[in-house]
Amino acid sequence: AQAGPVLGNSQQVVDHLRVSMGSLDREAFCVIYLDTQNRPLKAETLFEGTLTSSAVYPREVFKRALERNAASLIFAHNHPSGCVEPSVNDRDITRDLVLAASLMDVRILDHIIVGGDSHFSFADHGLMREYARQAAEFQESRRRVA
């Protein structure tokens, strides 16, 4: 299968997703699986929810990532309301997914919220770097205990 274009920044990802997610009337959580060169292997909607939320199950996210031999992942979901500010739950699940990924040697490059004509990139706002730092601290504390 021919790999897609390299996705190098959040705007390229948003452009890639806006058509498929922009007009949805319910929240949907999408995962883009990337190879070692950040080329998309596949993108799929894993979870669909209500107007205001969707449940995300880390176990399913990583089961699929491992099946696809993905080196890294980008998460995206939509906010049908158009407000792209991440909720506390959005922040918590992203942090938890980054931690889980770090234990499996998979990188999470970004989590993008699409809504209306705008988007919010966790990477562009420094949150992915912060969550990766927290994951590294957690791993270091595990090594000290062992």
Side-chain angles (χ1 to χ4, degrees):
Q2 183 80 13
V6 173
L7 297 176
N9 61 53
S10 63
Q11 190 58 53
Q12 289 174 316
V13 177
V14 169
D15 293 344
H16 192 72
L17 294 169
R18 192 174 304 282
V19 173
S20 61
M21 299 185 87
S23 62
L24 297 176
D25 63 354
R26 300 186 179 282
E27 278 204 15
F29 185 89
C30 176
V31 179
I32 302 172
Y33 307 95
L34 303 149
D35 67 14
T36 56
Q37 303 298 310
N38 290 344
R39 290 181 304 233
L41 299 166
K42 183 169 180 63
E44 70 180 328
T45 299
L46 283 189
F47 310 106
E48 292 184 13
T50 65
L51 185 62
T52 58
S53 69
S54 70
V56 175
Y57 301 99
R59 179 183 176 122
E60 285 301 309
V61 170
F62 294 108
K63 176 182 168 201
R64 299 292 260 245
L66 295 172
E67 287 171 356
R68 286 162 179 38
N69 202 26
S72 54
L73 308 174
I74 296 173
F75 304 128
H77 79 276
N78 64 315
H79 280 177
S81 68
C83 174
V84 295
E85 188 64 31
S87 68
V88 170
N89 187 53
D90 292 338
R91 291 171 186 265
D92 289 348
I93 192 63
T94 304
R95 183 199 60 228
D96 293 351
L97 288 166
V98 169
L99 175 58
S102 75
L103 298 171
M104 292 185 284
D105 202 26
V106 174
R107 291 182 51 224
I108 308 300
L109 301 181
D110 205 350
H111 181 173
I112 296 173
I113 301 171
V114 178
D117 290 334
S118 59
H119 73 277
F120 181 95
S121 161
F122 280 65
D124 291 351
H125 285 84
L127 293 168
M128 299 310 293
R129 192 169 39 255
E130 173 61 20
Y131 298 153
R133 185 190 60 74
Q134 291 174 13
E137 287 176 1
F138 174 75
Q139 290 220 37
E140 183 57 35
S141 70
R142 286 182 59 230
R143 280 192 278 279
R144 284 195 299 267
V145 172

